[in-house]
Amino acid sequence: MRLFIALGIPHPLSELLNGLRGSLSEVNWMPPETYHLTLRFIGEVTDRHLMEDIHYALSTIHAPAFDLFPDAPGLFERPASPAVLWMGVARNDSLLHLQRKIDTAMRRAGLAERRRRFVPHITLGTIAHPDPSRLASWLQRQAPFNSSPTRIRNFSLYSSLRGKEAPTYEVLEDYSLSP
């Protein structure tokens, strides 16, 4: 099973992000039900005992609920792959605290240390051949993204199945944050 830990994106933010669909024609837009903010990618897990260790480690995390603030969109360019268009999320102490606690819990569960810098974002879609001037104009028009803060009350363990057009994500377990 391919696993990751993330924040689901609740309404109305997911609806606002969905409103961007089609606003840039060369984007292969992700369906709104796939919107999430990855806190820790785990990868392929087949060992039942490791799954139990992951669940136990996540269930011991205590962190407060917090507000998520959308920021500005951006692009991750990847060699020999389509670029990833995303909506940034403002880094705040509560989000960073939760992400660090999750990293620590996953190391205690026996997973390797995370190598990438944490860049909080929500993937909107992919672009195989972006037109640089159209993309720059679109990014500028969307920044900053106007939205009210979104209250985050839990994080989740997800499984990921690669689909023909878009991946399918299934919540395996939700973990509540303190009110």
Side-chain angles (χ1 to χ4, degrees):
M1 216 182 294
R2 193 165 192 244
L3 303 177
F4 64 95
I5 303 158
L7 302 176
I9 306 303
H11 294 281
L13 180 55
S14 63
E15 286 302 311
L16 288 171
L17 294 172
N18 188 41
L20 297 173
R21 291 173 63 91
S23 62
L24 192 58
S25 60
E26 57 263 42
V27 175
N28 178 22
W29 296 92
M30 299 296 285
E33 60 271 11
T34 67
Y35 294 160
H36 65 275
L37 189 157
T38 301
L39 297 167
R40 177 69 148 78
F41 180 74
I42 296 172
E44 202 64 38
V45 174
T46 55
D47 182 326
R48 194 182 103 235
H49 296 293
L50 179 56
M51 282 285 295
E52 290 170 0
D53 291 346
I54 289 169
H55 169 66
Y56 176 76
L58 293 174
S59 67
T60 65
I61 291 175
H62 297 286
F66 59 92
D67 289 332
L68 196 69
F69 297 89
D71 196 7
L75 192 72
F76 291 133
E77 297 190 62
R78 307 176 300 177
S81 294
V84 174
L85 181 66
W86 48 267
M87 181 58 65
V89 171
R91 297 168 69 90
N92 65 58
D93 290 342
S94 296
L95 172 62
L96 297 176
H97 174 74
L98 175 61
Q99 195 276 325
R100 282 191 302 269
K101 282 188 156 241
I102 288 170
D103 267 353
T104 300
M106 292 302 93
R107 282 195 308 275
R108 276 197 304 257
L111 299 176
E113 190 166 342
R114 180 187 180 108
R115 293 186 187 151
R116 287 188 189 168
R117 181 175 169 264
F118 178 57
V119 178
H121 68 280
I122 302 161
T123 298
L124 300 175
T126 57
I127 309 174
H129 305 289
D131 175 310
S133 63
R134 281 175 40 92
L135 179 60
S137 175
W138 187 90
L139 290 170
Q140 188 173 32
R141 280 193 315 273
Q142 303 308 325
F145 187 71
N146 292 320
S147 168
S148 300
T150 300
R151 191 71 175 167
I152 300 298
R153 292 181 170 83
N154 68 290
F155 64 97
S156 304
L157 176 63
Y158 286 82
S159 70
S160 170
L161 300 169
R162 295 177 196 249
K164 187 175 181 180
E165 294 192 20
T168 302
Y169 303 131
E170 178 185 350
V171 173
L172 300 177
E173 192 74 44
D174 285 321
Y175 303 91
S176 295
L177 298 171
S178 305

